[in-house]
Amino acid sequence: MLSLDPLGPEWDCPLGSKDLEEEEGPWGGGSGLPPPGFFPGSWSHEVGLDCKGSPEGAEARAWTVYYYSLLQSCLQQAGLPETQDRSQVPRTGCPGAEVTLCILGSPCTFLSVLLEGGVQSPGNMLLCLSPAWLTKVPAPGQPGEAALLVSKAVSFHPGGLTFLDDFVPPRRATYFLAGLGLGPGPGREAAELARDLTCPTGASAELARLLEDRLLTRRLLAQQGDVAVPATLAFTYKPPALLRGGDASPGLRLVELNGKEGQETLVKEEVGAFLHSKALGDALQVAVKLSGWRWRGRQALRLYPRTELDPVVDTVLALLEKLEEEESVLVEAVCPPARLPFPGSPLPGPELALRICAVVCRTQGDRPLLSKVVCGVGRGDRPLRHQNSLPRTLEVALAQCGLGEASQVTDVRRRVKAAAEAALAAVLALEAGLSAEQRGGRQARTDFLGVDFVLTVAGRALTPVALELNGGLCLEACGALEGLWAAPRPGLVAEEAAAAPLLETMLRRSARYLMEGKQLLLLGAGGVSKKFVWEAARDYGLKLHLVESDPNHFASQLVQTFIHFDVTEHQRDEENARLLAELVRARGLQLDGCFSYWDDCLVLTALLCQELGLPCSPPAAMRLAKQKSRTQLHLLCHHGPPWPAPSLYAVPCCPLESEADVDKAVRQVPLPGVMKLEFGAGAVGVRLVEDAPQCHEHFSRIARDLQGEADHPGIGLGWGNAMLLMEFIEGTEHDVDLVLFGGRLLAAFVSDNGPTRLPGFTETAACMPTGLAPEQEAQLVQAAFRCCLGCGLLDGVFNVELKLTGTGPRLIEINPRMGGFYLRDWILELYGVDLLLAAAMVACGLRPALPAHPRARGHLVGVMCLVSQHLQVLSSTTSRETLQALHDQGLLRLNLLEEALVPGEYEEPYCSVACAGPSPAEARLRLLGLCQGLGIDGPHYPVAYFLSHFK
């Protein structure tokens, strides 16, 4: 898809015209050497560009020096420091255990990706300036595939810092993206390196051949993507299999030739009919060009008035002689530029034309996402190409052409977004039907696409018409626009990087690659709300070994090894950890990690990891976080430094083990207060108490009703039914889900909770991402992070519940495991980050491959359904089957939390029902309408009130 090849075949058709226009593309030339570069700068040329053990010839060396100088020039113009050479002291690292994002190609093309990678994954984004810096080695157990090793590269870090590094031993690439080409130079070698790799690959020569065939992509866009393309007449000789047969496409006429000679009559008839067809609309000109990989960016095109039949026919016949198999000659309409302002009269002077360049990325779930739109503006009477016009935003470009009305600009952006995302969706659908050989390898995918549009008028509406698909040109244009906001002008707001969604995909695919085949011991299977674990494990290629108390648990059939073991007797956790360790060794399990997301098993998991020598937070930290009163009292003693200390977030409380403790607690803790189980989960048994009699009454009720695990399984009663009394804190409630590795915060996701139905505290509603101001969100994240550190939780995925009061965040409790209910699903949907995969990576001692600044792709607002309030509707009109059907249609997001509709005094939510939207207001309105229609909303369960916090 990306071409670095400076050479290309030349054709010598005697077109007999002086006004040839070269199509855009990389540099021309026939020597195999890089173009003469003009790189004014003062950087050092005495750097170690040679790679030990892989000597380069003179031509290859010239390319390496050229690319290094080009990189320095790019950094200089962006106001960034030159690359520091530290290759004399090789980096050691942990090959095979770290993310390694490798790009082989032009620094100019990929600069935006490289700089963003330095921010999102510092030190792991590598630029190789020569194929000699890379080596393919056969992959054991994967015939025909190879691992890619990086011996030398330029590494990127925050602030645009770059280093020339050698790696001993070489780093194993976890993601590879290459500039590709067919002729002499780096392109051919890059194509060979990209083929049949074990690591994820973002491009291949095989996919590039398909995407750069204009005839194929235009038919693909018109048929599958419903994207407007120029009216096109194509003469093809022995077309590729993907073009044979199939339905006709509006405005696309494919004429299959049985030979390249003696076609004069057929060509004249077809061209004549095409020039007079209604498909050309208002077009006054047609262009004649060649289509096929060989001709990409290395040919001339000829423009003719639509009325000139004979010159068009002559040109087509001349070009037919140069065709090879699977190539085409195209006659296409030159879309007339829209006259802006629209509607109305044209501005005086030459009419202006727009070329719209959109970068769209493949995100979580193989969904396309428009990343950025960049425009070029030029005269309407001349072809407008990349790199001969200055990049600008869509809004500025439209305004320059006379269109400044906000609603019209918004409509154009909406149309471009829909068309660009439909284009990538069509490409992904095509790739899904290809074999690994056709794609260039099992791991080869198209992860980003550039789509070039011209803006024209169709049906009295401004319409983007897709001209071509590319990768590097559009990405480079976006980088150039972002560069306008670089260092030379302080105070300007930085442009959001077009490469950010692409980096998230690179990291996500790297994580899957690193974890494929990992052996993990899992303690506690959980209930229906954790069914996603087994599907995800299969998708990621994880090998799970399960320890579970229920011998008949459905998950026992979904794992590599099932160990039936009673994990509910927590007074014996230390002894059980030793017994389990013996069982693991006796079965010969070679584990990479051990973890749990089930409250009951967290301390046992930490003890078992200690026994087996596997990574985990210390058992003492897990015990501290598991017991709610110990958490608060421990943090209250943490006065720092550094400031702010965890004590600022803790809340006064008092443990309750006997009736006598209640009177003591009432004297120590201000009332009203909150009484809850020390080891409870799901807000079961939590109650607001306003005076001493209520405290005694609630303590007695819990002591009577919830004595052991059998009374309410899964909420922690195996630890006992001790309680605590803590001060009631006024404020809004929030969840913060954290990923920590080595005591460093890698990611945090904040959600808002609606008001609870006092005197109970069962959750009613939630919203993600948070609607708080950025400063308040940051305060919550820091509070959660510092409380985890204060308890000694250094490695893992943790869920921290807080309230935001008038004086700052206050801790409710720490759950030292992945967030429950809907949280994992929502974070995956909105941010593309899987907390389950992150937890598994930490358990294996691997730093999770997460973006440094994940961005939400929308908003989700949801409500909980309770058996006590919704038994009737859940049994009839809003049955589980109905909700599942609405979920499958994309009308709501359903997270089932319980299997059966069983009423009880102490309840957890049955399910969560959510709606998505581009804004919180739209998501909230959709949800409210849905709840009213389904009967979830009612006088005793006022959904509008529960959603009122999210305005």
Side-chain angles (χ1 to χ4, degrees):
M1 182 170 57
L2 310 173
S3 179
L4 292 180
D5 178 17
L7 299 178
E10 297 180 2
W11 50 275
D12 53 359
C13 280
L15 298 181
S17 172
K18 294 183 294 183
D19 57 345
L20 292 178
E21 293 286 352
E22 282 192 303
E23 275 201 272
E24 57 204 324
W27 334 281
S31 68
L33 293 172
F38 176 66
F39 302 128
S42 58
W43 54 83
S44 172
H45 293 270
E46 299 299 321
V47 291
L49 296 179
D50 292 322
C51 187
K52 295 172 184 174
S54 300
E56 292 182 301
E59 185 178 306
R61 171 72 178 182
W63 277 103
T64 305
V65 172
Y66 172 83
Y67 280 142
Y68 184 80
S69 296
L70 180 57
L71 172 61
Q72 301 317 306
S73 184
C74 291
L75 294 173
Q76 180 190 58
Q77 292 180 36
L80 300 172
E82 70 176 273
T83 300
Q84 298 179 41
D85 184 0
R86 57 181 189 185
S87 58
Q88 301 306 312
V89 183
R91 308 291 104 186
T92 52
C94 305
E98 55 196 349
V99 170
T100 301
L101 312 175
C102 179
I103 289 180
L104 173 65
S106 168
C108 196
T109 299
F110 294 110
L111 187 64
S112 60
V113 183
L114 295 163
L115 293 175
E116 182 67 14
V119 173
Q120 299 279 15
S121 190
N124 297 324
M125 172 56 77
L126 306 181
L127 170 65
C128 287
L129 301 175
S130 167
W133 295 6
L134 293 155
T135 308
K136 287 174 77 170
V137 296
Q142 294 171 291
E145 293 188 351
L148 187 66
L149 303 182
V150 187
S151 298
K152 190 182 196 73
V154 177
S155 61
F156 284 72
H157 299 258
L161 295 177
T162 55
F163 300 92
L164 182 62
D165 286 325
D166 278 11
F167 303 104
V168 179
R171 288 181 67 160
R172 187 183 71 177
T174 62
Y175 185 95
F176 184 56
L177 182 61
L180 302 170
L182 286 178
R188 183 185 294 275
E189 293 176 82
E192 288 302 318
L193 284 170
R195 184 173 292 113
D196 293 323
L197 293 178
T198 56
C199 72
T201 310
S204 70
E206 288 75 8
L207 293 177
R209 285 177 181 273
L210 299 178
L211 297 181
E212 294 196 346
D213 184 330
R214 289 195 183 189
L215 179 57
L216 174 62
T217 55
R218 284 185 182 174
R219 192 164 89 163
L220 181 69
L221 297 189
Q223 286 186 342
Q224 295 191 28
D226 197 23
V227 178
V229 297
T232 304
L233 170 65
F235 296 95
T236 180
Y237 174 62
K238 295 185 179 180
L242 290 172
L243 274 173
R244 295 175 198 149
D247 299 329
S249 304
L252 293 180
R253 167 76 174 152
L254 175 62
V255 179
E256 188 172 338
L257 305 175
N258 54 19
K260 293 185 286 184
E261 298 178 355
Q263 305 293 330
E264 292 83 356
T265 303
L266 175 62
V267 168
K268 190 165 187 175
E269 289 177 356
E270 291 287 352
V271 171
F274 179 72
L275 295 180
H276 289 91
S277 70
K278 294 181 180 179
L280 269 69
D282 298 331
L284 301 177
Q285 291 180 303
V286 293
V288 184
K289 62 181 68 172
L290 285 156
S291 174
W293 170 272
R294 286 195 309 145
W295 306 104
R296 183 73 170 119
R298 301 173 191 89
Q299 60 162 305
L301 63 84
R302 180 70 191 272
L303 301 178
Y304 294 98
R306 181 178 174 181
T307 54
E308 296 186 6
L309 171 62
D310 291 340
V312 175
V313 171
D314 291 342
T315 304
V316 171
L317 291 172
L319 293 182
L320 284 180
E321 297 178 9
K322 302 298 178 184
L323 280 190
E324 294 184 1
E325 292 184 11
E326 302 190 353
E327 296 180 346
S328 307
V329 178
L330 306 183
V331 182
E332 66 179 45
V334 177
C335 298
R339 292 181 177 273
L340 302 176
F342 176 80
S345 303
L347 296 172
E351 188 177 357
L352 294 178
L354 282 181
R355 180 140 176 165
I356 300 174
C357 165
V359 172
V360 59
C361 300
R362 183 167 71 98
T363 60
Q364 171 66 32
D366 291 338
R367 286 174 294 185
L369 175 71
L370 179 69
S371 176
K372 180 165 285 190
V373 175
V374 175
C375 292
V377 177
R379 290 178 54 150
D381 57 351
R382 299 177 183 174
L384 184 60
R385 306 186 305 277
H386 281 284
Q387 299 173 339
N388 74 345
S389 62
L390 295 173
R392 62 210 77 193
T393 62
L394 180 66
E395 289 74 14
V396 167
L398 291 174
Q400 285 179 303
C401 295
L403 187 73
E405 186 178 328
S407 61
Q408 289 181 311
V409 174
T410 300
D411 184 61
V412 171
R413 180 173 286 277
R414 179 184 60 79
R415 290 172 181 267
V416 170
K417 175 179 170 66
E421 292 179 349
L424 181 55
V427 168
L428 298 182
L430 171 69
E431 290 183 7
L434 300 178
S435 67
E437 183 180 2
Q438 289 173 311
R439 291 198 310 272
R442 178 176 57 91
Q443 293 274 32
R445 300 287 189 276
T446 296
D447 283 336
F448 79 103
L449 198 64
V451 190
D452 277 328
F453 297 99
V454 64
L455 195 61
T456 188
V457 177
R460 302 293 297 167
L462 286 171
T463 302
V465 176
L467 297 179
E468 63 176 350
L469 305 182
N470 68 73
L473 292 171
C474 285
L475 194 63
E476 192 167 337
C478 290
L481 180 67
E482 293 161 14
L484 297 177
W485 277 262
R489 284 280 308 278
L492 287 174
V493 178
E495 270 280 291
E496 194 166 49
L502 172 60
L503 255 298
E504 293 178 16
T505 296
M506 294 165 80
L507 289 167
R508 183 165 50 247
R509 293 187 68 189
S510 291
R512 296 174 69 107
Y513 175 59
L514 286 169
M515 290 300 291
E516 188 175 5
K518 287 287 188 285
Q519 307 276 342
L520 284 140
L521 186 67
L522 182 59
L523 271 66
V528 65
S529 67
K530 297 297 186 290
K531 275 191 172 181
F532 66 83
V533 170
W534 318 109
E535 181 180 342
R538 184 172 61 250
D539 183 39
Y540 292 137
L542 302 179
K543 308 297 184 185
L544 294 187
H545 309 274
L546 176 63
V547 177
E548 166 60 35
S549 303
D550 179 4
N552 300 313
H553 198 287
F554 69 87
S556 64
Q557 306 301 312
L558 304 176
V559 292
Q560 303 289 312
T561 307
F562 179 73
I563 300 175
H564 175 225
F565 192 95
D566 185 2
V567 297
T568 62
E569 295 185 38
H570 300 296
Q571 306 305 318
R572 301 177 55 190
D573 272 349
E574 293 192 9
E575 178 187 347
N576 287 339
R578 289 191 292 271
L579 291 173
L580 277 172
E582 291 173 9
L583 282 174
V584 166
R585 295 186 187 105
R587 293 188 178 223
L589 300 182
Q590 300 297 315
L591 299 177
D592 297 294
C594 171
F595 76 117
S596 179
Y597 47 74
W598 198 240
D599 276 293
D600 250 14
C601 299
L602 298 175
V603 173
L604 177 60
T605 300
L607 290 164
L608 179 57
C609 287
Q610 192 176 65
E611 288 285 334
L612 296 173
L614 295 172
C616 189
S617 286
M622 282 292 191
R623 283 197 175 97
L624 193 58
K626 180 64 185 162
Q627 188 170 354
K628 298 176 177 61
S629 67
R630 284 190 63 197
T631 304
Q632 298 285 3
L633 295 173
H634 175 80
L635 294 177
L636 280 170
C637 299
H638 239 286
H639 297 292
W643 182 84
S647 59
L648 292 174
Y649 309 119
V651 177
C653 67
C654 190
L656 308 172
E657 293 189 0
S658 65
E659 191 82 29
D661 293 331
V662 176
D663 292 321
K664 174 184 173 185
V666 167
R667 291 192 296 270
Q668 293 181 0
V669 178
L671 296 177
V674 178
M675 288 186 70
K676 58 171 72 174
L677 288 164
E678 277 277 25
F679 304 97
V684 174
V686 185
R687 186 174 183 84
L688 179 71
V689 287
E690 299 185 2
D691 53 34
Q694 285 187 5
C695 292
H696 281 283
E697 180 187 356
H698 189 59
F699 184 88
S700 299
R701 181 185 298 116
I702 295 297
R704 180 186 68 243
D705 297 345
L706 300 177
Q707 296 181 11
E709 182 72 14
D711 295 322
H712 200 120
I715 65 164
L717 290 172
W719 291 88
N721 65 349
M723 302 191 74
L724 74 148
L725 174 67
M726 63 187 296
E727 184 179 350
F728 176 69
I729 303 297
E730 292 282 1
T732 55
E733 190 169 328
H734 308 270
D735 277 64
V736 181
D737 287 274
L738 305 169
V739 181
L740 271 62
F741 187 76
R744 296 187 180 276
L745 177 63
L746 301 188
F749 306 93
V750 181
S751 53
D752 304 336
N753 292 337
T756 57
R757 298 166 64 241
L758 297 176
F761 285 86
T762 303
E763 188 174 326
T764 59
C767 174
M768 185 183 277
T770 177
L772 295 173
E775 181 180 338
Q776 293 174 308
E777 180 182 11
Q779 287 179 345
L780 284 171
V781 169
Q782 280 302 310
F785 177 42
R786 289 167 188 264
C787 287
C788 286
L789 290 185
C791 290
L793 298 171
L794 305 179
D795 296 281
V797 176
F798 308 118
N799 170 258
V800 184
E801 300 175 28
L802 302 114
K803 275 196 172 182
L804 185 60
T805 74
T807 57
R810 293 293 182 272
L811 176 67
I812 299 175
E813 62 189 49
I814 297 174
N815 299 304
R817 39 80 179 160
M818 177 178 69
F821 290 170
Y822 49 82
L823 285 168
R824 179 262 182 181
D825 178 54
W826 281 22
I827 291 168
L828 182 60
E829 171 70 14
L830 292 175
Y831 296 94
V833 172
D834 191 347
L835 294 184
L836 175 67
L837 186 59
M841 291 191 77
V842 174
C844 292
L846 299 176
R847 181 187 174 100
L850 300 176
H853 308 290
R855 299 175 299 174
R857 309 294 185 219
H859 297 262
L860 280 168
V861 177
V863 296
M864 296 292 194
C865 293
L866 307 177
V867 174
S868 63
Q869 303 298 315
H870 303 112
L871 179 60
Q872 185 173 350
V873 295
L874 289 172
S875 302
S876 54
T877 56
T878 311
S879 66
R880 175 173 168 179
E881 290 74 19
T882 303
L883 293 175
Q884 186 63 52
L886 293 171
H887 173 92
D888 295 340
Q889 296 169 37
L891 298 176
L892 60 80
R893 194 157 196 91
L894 173 67
N895 289 102
L896 200 65
L897 309 175
E898 291 291 337
E899 189 75 63
L901 291 168
V902 180
E905 183 179 355
Y906 306 100
E907 66 176 349
E908 297 177 84
Y910 172 74
C911 68
S912 165
V913 173
C915 285
S919 68
E922 190 165 335
R924 188 175 65 248
L925 286 174
R926 287 180 186 174
L927 180 63
L928 184 57
L930 191 80
C931 288
Q932 290 170 343
L934 293 174
I936 295 171
D937 180 45
H940 301 292
Y941 202 78
V943 172
Y945 167 66
F946 298 143
L947 303 182
S948 62
H949 279 196
F950 310 142
K951 290 185 179 178

